[in-house]
């Protein structure tokens, strides 16, 4: 018989794993900042600064970045599909009938055609299929929708996998130092051991195999069974983009040592330098190994990239090289929480399938190169105009790209804006087009564009 | 040096807590149903039934229930606030300018005025304040927004609390049998021990203190420290609504035995019988005990009630009688996952604050009684018309409620629909009104309604 005198839970009685867990991004400094903000609101001028600027978190929409219009139009239409039947809506969305057709397509895949129904515990199957298509396009290797688990942000996926892998403090997870503190916090919460490896600052924060091997041996000598290795690429907080050869070394190490590779690839759309590009670990693996040689989990999030939809809590993990019985266990854990939120699921399908048919079309044309649309709703392809076309434009007293746009309009009915209206490096020529026409009209637009461009280039061949 | 021959994670190597966890709602039967559904799609007629009907899950929108229009209008406007500035939108939403004003109010509380920003880890403060107001109205006792944690569905909140309370298999949680299998699954995942107590079927699935006490003693004799007790009210899967006296017994037991009361109150808006009503455990506690005598966690969800917004994954827990240092620990765990999804947060604020000013007004009038609007967007108040008014209507060759509605229109400009247009028990009279006028106009509408009703009742006094 026990009588407890203090019925309110004393902090000494709680799970020590919870007590031990630390999370720097929203830790003491953040709490103090919130107190300072309240103080400044009550007593302006009480501090030597007027406002608190939160640089602790990648939270672009908190700092005024606008969400991508196309994404939000699709979301609004999915939340309130009555809008789809209204004349006013078609007027409102007149510049973006693509959003309307995409929303219809997405709604048709949802359970009960509603965002308000629990979905499959991995996420809506149709949305996983769209994501699989996006992954296949990115990597050049197919993706299986059944291996994709949609989650409330990538953090939830990381928790699921760590929960699966960690049995006790004798199970270790190799983590980069510096790391994103989700990993240290989650490993502590799930009762495992973080086995640190240091990123090489001298080597542009790359991974060094001898360092990894040394840490691994040390851990094993100390009775720790190392189950997995976390690699964050592009890096957080270090910002590096790993080289392909470094990625290959990492993959080979994981294969040899039987480590699950946990690839945090949530910054895949945040590569800012021209000479670096993101290559997924899946692509590295698929180009060299058999399916069952390495177990990989790739994490992606809607909170990063040009989209920055942090508050919507969407993300996914793709599993490669996992056995069916283990995938069944992950599915079971996912099913305990029923499903992730449908807005986040929809956004995950959108970030992996942004409207892009026009971009491909431009890049397939002779003398035209077009950057990927990473934000807003426009493409600004560069057109290498032949000298004869430039001379013809001069004769007509027109800027060359305006001359091109006018000929295009006359020949096809397509309205584009000459790049000269926006400013461009002298001697380069562009046109600007919205990416928002109705998806069903894109093929016709593309074929007209191509036919015109070919005949234009023939006409003015140097 | 170890060489692992099977790099793919063998199921034998995973966390046994994951393996041991079971979840019946989406277990074997559900998986088989999905296979049967695929089979039927490929080979119609291959089974003695045409379709699979999913009654395993309370998922109303999967079965064709429409979401509440007001809620979805607010969501759509918050997702794509450009709609707020457009004339077309005002035409589209002309019947529900209330949704526009509510969306503006909600947007003004969001971090960065956007649903796309990470919020405070407990949830947007302004939304927690709205929820606290709703709780205070429900219980008659104030609620503190700082004690409310918004989560991706109530399940996530249950996980957070169990993670906090359970240290090892020596920590027990008292759970009803039958129970909702989230509890057994989560206790297994978090490594604790489920201490079962049986609901008394003979006693309308009520809780019997001698049974609880016996189970508690048994657990303690077996070295289990019982930390908390789960009570599901209204019951799932048993459907009972506990009596106030039974709730009082439960609370007193928790106080005496130092148990945290985990009150699963997600069905608080699903009470179907006239003689029962939902009373929150918080109200029971507040009416008898001091703040620090009992620790209570109350769980609420947007997936249940008349709203049934399962796919949006919203919910909250309200903590009462917890110490600050323990609340800090819960906040820290919440912060590791940054925040719950903002659509779910917004819906949680809406279900705790549905539009209701008109309902109150009707109920305050002589001879008028009005049921709570639990769905759709209408009220159907019953009006006890005086005999003299019924005679006057007959003289005018009108149905009495149409006579009332016509007089109302003439006197005030307010357009209501006579109940006779919908059918009603003979001898009863109703009018139907939408609940959607602009919130700012409600006070004027209410005063006109009241003034007209008083003068009408005076004119035809029996």
């Amino acid at each position: 018989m026990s009588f407890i005198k203090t019925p309110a839970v004393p902090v000494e009685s709680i799970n020590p794993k919870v007590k031990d867990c630390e999370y720097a991004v929203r830790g003491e400094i953040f709490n103090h900042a919130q107190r300072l903000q309240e103080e400044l609101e009550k007593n302006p001028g009480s501090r030597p600064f007027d406002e608190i600027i939160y640089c602790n978190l990648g939270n672009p929409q908190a700092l005024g970045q606008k969400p991508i219009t196309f994404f939000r139009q699709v979301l609004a239409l999915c939340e309130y599909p009555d809008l789809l039947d209204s004349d006013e809506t078609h007027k409102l969305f007149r510049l973006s009938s693509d959003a309307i057709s995409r929303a219809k397509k997405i709604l048709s895949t949802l359970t009960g055609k509603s965002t308000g129904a629990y979905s499959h515990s991995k996420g809506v199957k149709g949305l996983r299929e769209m994501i699989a298509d996006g992954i296949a396009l990115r990597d050049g290797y197919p993706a299986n929708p059944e291996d994709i688990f949609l989650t409330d942000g990538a953090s939830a996926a990381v928790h699921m996998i760590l929960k699966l892998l960690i049995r006790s403090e004798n199970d270790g997870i190799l983590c980069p130092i510096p790391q994103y503190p989700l990993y240290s916090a989650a490993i502590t919460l799930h009762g495992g051991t973080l086995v640190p490896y240091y990123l090489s600052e001298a080597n542009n924060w790359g991974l060094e195999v001898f360092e990894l091997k040394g840490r691994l041996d040390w851990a094993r000598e100390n009775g720790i069974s190392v189950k997995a290795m976390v690699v964050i690429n592009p890096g957080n907080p270090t910002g590096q983009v790993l080289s392909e050869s470094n990625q290959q070394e990492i993959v080979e190490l994981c294969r040899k040592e039987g480590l699950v590779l946990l690839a945090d690839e949530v910054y895949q759309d945040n590569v800012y330098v021209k000479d670096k590009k993101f290559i997924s670990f899946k692509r590295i693996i698929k180009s060299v190994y058999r399916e069952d040689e390495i177990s990989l989990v790739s994490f992606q999030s809607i909170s990063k990239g040009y989209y920055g939809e942090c508050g919507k809590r969407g993300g996914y993990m793709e599993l490669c090289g996992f056995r069916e019985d283990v995938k069944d266990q992950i599915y079971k854990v996912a099913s305990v929480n029923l499903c992730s939120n449908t807005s986040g699921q929809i956004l995950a399908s959108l970030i992996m399938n942004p409207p892009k048919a026009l971009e491909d079309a431009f890049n397939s044309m002779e003398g035209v190169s077009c950057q990927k649309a990473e934000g807003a709703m426009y493409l600004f392809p560069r057109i290498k105009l032949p000298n004869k076309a430039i001379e013809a434009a001069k004769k007509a007293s027109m800027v060359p790209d305006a001359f091109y746009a006018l000929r295009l309009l006359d020949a096809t009915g397509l309205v584009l804006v000459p790049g000269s209206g926006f400013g461009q490096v002298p001697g380069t020529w562009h046109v600007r087009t919205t990416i928002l026409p109705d998806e069903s009209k894109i093929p016709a637009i593309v074929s007209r564009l191509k036919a015109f461009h070919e005949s234009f280039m023939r006409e003015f061949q140097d």
Side-chain angles (χ1 to χ4, degrees), chain A:
Chain A
M1 215 45 190
S2 83
F3 286 95
I4 293 157
K5 273 164 209 134
T6 52
V9 187
V11 79
E12 297 75 29
S13 75
I14 71 166
N15 185 347
K17 292 172 193 163
V18 168
K19 255 187 294 184
D20 292 346
C21 148
E22 283 181 23
Y23 189 65
V25 177
R26 287 202 166 180
E28 268 309 296
I29 298 284
F30 178 74
N31 292 338
H32 186 60
Q34 294 206 305
R35 281 189 297 270
L36 284 178
Q37 183 169 352
E38 280 176 26
E39 193 187 310
L40 279 173
E41 278 161 16
K42 278 181 204 144
N43 299 308
S46 61
R47 294 269 162 182
F49 41 83
D50 296 332
E51 58 169 347
I52 306 292
I53 299 168
Y54 290 95
C55 299
N56 56 313
L57 204 60
N59 196 6
Q61 294 189 35
L63 300 171
Q65 180 180 305
K66 291 273 167 227
I68 303 295
T69 302
F70 173 76
F71 292 176
R72 291 311 190 93
Q73 289 181 330
V74 172
L75 270 191
L77 293 168
C78 289
E79 296 299 18
Y80 185 41
D82 285 6
L83 289 172
L84 289 169
D85 305 323
S86 138
D87 288 347
E88 279 87 3
T89 303
H90 288 267
K91 270 183 222 158
L92 262 171
F93 289 71
R94 63 191 174 281
L95 289 173
S96 53
S97 49
D98 190 23
I100 293 176
S101 59
R102 186 72 75 99
K104 283 182 179 166
K105 190 174 161 195
I106 287 171
L107 279 166
S108 76
T109 72
L110 301 182
T111 312
K113 317 281 174 237
S114 172
T115 61
Y118 291 125
S119 72
H120 189 285
S121 294
K122 290 182 187 177
V124 175
K125 192 170 180 187
L127 299 177
R128 283 185 281 130
E129 286 166 352
M130 294 176 202
I131 291 167
D133 291 345
I135 294 172
L137 202 66
R138 180 195 69 192
D139 294 341
Y141 296 94
N144 182 349
E146 292 309 317
D147 294 337
I148 295 169
F149 288 72
L150 291 167
T151 49
D152 291 314
S155 300
V158 170
H159 278 289
M160 271 165 76
I161 284 295
L162 292 177
K163 182 81 194 168
L164 180 88
L165 296 175
I166 295 173
R167 293 165 297 188
S168 72
E169 67 277 11
N170 295 326
D171 283 336
I173 308 291
L174 265 169
C175 274
I177 303 291
Q179 50 115 23
Y180 175 55
L182 164 67
Y183 294 99
S184 49
I187 292 168
T188 304
L189 276 177
H190 297 296
T193 295
L194 187 151
V195 180
Y197 67 87
Y198 287 89
L199 297 174
S200 167
E201 188 160 8
N203 194 10
N204 197 23
W205 297 112
L207 280 73
E208 286 169 342
V209 169
F210 74 88
E211 160 77 5
L212 289 165
K213 197 68 190 63
R215 296 286 166 174
L216 198 53
D217 291 345
W218 174 88
R220 286 170 176 168
E221 278 156 23
N222 284 275
I224 295 167
S225 161
V226 180
K227 308 287 292 279
M229 172 171 163
V230 175
V231 179
I232 310 177
N233 180 46
N236 177 11
T238 42
Q240 81 282 19
V241 180
L242 296 179
S243 69
E244 189 165 354
S245 62
N246 201 187
Q247 289 183 274
Q248 282 161 346
E249 291 175 314
I250 294 163
V251 167
E252 177 56 20
L253 181 83
C254 288
R255 191 195 63 79
K256 259 208 241 157
E257 302 290 347
L259 303 177
V260 177
L261 177 52
L262 303 178
D264 181 332
E265 301 182 317
V266 302
Y267 293 93
Q268 59 189 265
D269 284 319
N270 297 78
V271 178
Y272 308 121
V273 289
K274 285 246 160 65
D275 58 333
K276 289 289 181 74
K277 80 178 208 201
F278 168 76
I279 304 171
S280 74
F281 273 105
K282 185 178 172 193
R283 181 167 161 188
I284 301 278
I285 290 173
K286 288 281 176 185
S287 63
V288 177
Y289 302 99
R290 287 197 324 272
E291 174 74 29
D292 60 350
E293 284 188 287
I294 298 157
S295 298
L296 166 75
V297 187
S298 164
F299 302 98
Q300 165 68 318
S301 166
I302 63 170
S303 304
K304 313 303 171 194
Y306 60 90
Y307 18 96
E309 289 283 7
C310 306
K312 311 305 299 175
R313 311 310 288 128
Y316 71 80
M317 59 179 173
E318 184 191 10
L319 305 177
C320 303
F322 276 79
R323 296 184 179 181
E324 286 304 321
D325 53 3
V326 174
K327 286 191 275 189
D328 288 346
Q329 295 289 330
I330 300 172
Y331 174 54
K332 182 180 67 182
V333 172
S335 75
V336 173
N337 288 346
L338 297 166
C339 65
S340 64
N341 84 85
T342 50
S343 304
Q345 293 190 28
I346 290 170
L347 282 167
S349 81
L350 294 175
I351 67 160
M352 297 308 285
N353 287 279
K356 60 176 287 301
L358 279 174
E359 165 201 330
D360 290 346
F362 282 118
N363 278 320
S364 72
M365 295 177 206
E366 183 200 347
V368 179
S369 62
C370 184
Q371 296 298 310
K372 193 173 162 185
E374 293 204 330
M377 54 222 295
Y378 307 106
L379 290 174
F380 200 56
R382 177 172 172 176
I383 301 171
K384 227 175 153 176
L385 292 174
N387 289 328
K388 282 187 188 155
I390 294 171
E391 285 160 24
K394 274 187 193 154
K395 262 186 221 159
S397 301
M398 290 184 79
V399 181
D401 52 13
F403 176 75
Y404 178 88
L406 190 70
R407 294 283 297 252
L408 174 70
L409 176 59
D410 277 338
T412 66
L414 293 173
V415 186
L416 273 63
V417 188
S420 45
F422 301 87
Q424 50 200 352
V425 172
T428 71
W429 308 109
H430 300 75
V431 287
R432 195 194 76 160
T433 175
T434 173
I435 53 181
L436 296 174
D438 192 323
E439 278 182 344
S440 65
K441 290 187 186 146
I442 298 274
I445 293 172
V446 166
S447 69
R448 282 196 272 171
L449 258 176
K450 283 192 171 179
F452 163 77
H453 187 73
E454 276 168 27
S455 88
F456 182 92
M457 295 303 272
R458 248 196 327 270
E459 182 179 347
F460 295 104
Q461 213 164 14
D462 287 327

